[in-house]
Amino acid sequence: MRLKFFIYIIVIALIAIQFINVERTNPPVAAEIKAPPDVKKILRNSCYDCHSNETKWPWYSYIAPISWLVEKDVKSGRKHLNFSEWEKLTTKKKDKKREEIWEQISKDEMPLDIYTYMHPNAKLSLLQKNIIKNWLNNSNNFFDY
């Protein structure tokens, strides 16, 4: 009897938490990063869902408690690095962000494992990492894109 009651309580709680709203917004793109097409393609595929104002909110981002984690990751990602606001940064901040981007990518810390689990195509190949590395090291040459 207690087990049945406990299961009912869990089911009711899982249903109830679905009514807690999560902020799934995409603010306007203010100053998008200028990058060559091959770099932009990699960034869009592997980074933009958390690091831009162009997040594609997947089906599971509408199911609590997973939705809470997705919203938290997007909010945190945008706070640390937002490609939709890149051109607003000073040159000094861009240089610092370039270092941080490469540090995260080279250590396989980005994209996050939890993200690549649901988006296996977002995992960066060695070739993609090298394209990003070359762009980051020579980015002063790419302001015309």
Side-chain angles (χ1 to χ4, degrees):
M1 183 71 166
R2 283 187 178 182
L3 179 61
K4 200 176 206 183
F5 178 73
F6 181 72
I7 291 172
Y8 284 136
I9 295 297
I10 296 294
V11 169
I12 290 169
L14 287 172
I15 292 169
I17 65 174
Q18 301 310 310
F19 294 100
I20 298 172
N21 282 335
V22 172
E23 188 178 337
R24 286 179 289 275
T25 61
N26 282 335
V29 174
E32 186 170 15
I33 191 166
K34 295 175 183 171
D38 57 342
V39 172
K40 199 79 166 266
K41 183 178 179 183
I42 295 167
L43 295 178
R44 283 192 180 280
N45 185 58
S46 299
C47 311
Y48 266 45
D49 277 346
C50 293
H51 295 285
S52 80
N53 295 345
E54 299 179 54
T55 302
K56 293 177 193 140
W57 297 97
W59 63 268
Y60 54 84
S61 71
Y62 292 85
I63 301 170
I66 298 166
S67 59
W68 306 340
L69 176 64
V70 173
E71 189 241 1
K72 179 182 151 286
D73 285 348
V74 170
K75 193 178 277 188
S76 175
R78 287 176 179 169
K79 179 181 174 189
H80 288 91
L81 173 66
N82 189 335
F83 291 116
S84 297
E85 312 261 329
W86 180 266
E87 294 303 325
K88 288 182 174 182
L89 300 175
T90 65
T91 301
K92 187 176 180 178
K93 285 184 182 176
K94 285 179 187 176
D95 289 343
K96 179 74 173 145
K97 292 292 179 190
R98 284 186 195 101
E99 288 176 25
E100 291 171 4
I101 290 168
W102 180 244
E103 183 179 323
Q104 296 287 309
I105 289 173
S106 66
K107 293 179 178 178
D108 288 326
E109 293 176 1
M110 284 290 158
L112 295 174
D113 288 337
I114 195 168
Y115 181 77
T116 58
Y117 179 73
M118 293 301 289
H119 305 271
N121 292 339
K123 192 158 181 68
L124 295 171
S125 69
L126 184 57
L127 175 62
Q128 290 172 316
K129 288 179 183 181
N130 283 328
I131 289 170
I132 296 291
K133 181 180 182 181
N134 289 335
W135 172 70
L136 291 169
N137 289 335
N138 299 306
S139 60
N140 290 334
N141 301 328
F142 294 113
F143 289 127
D144 297 328
Y145 290 93

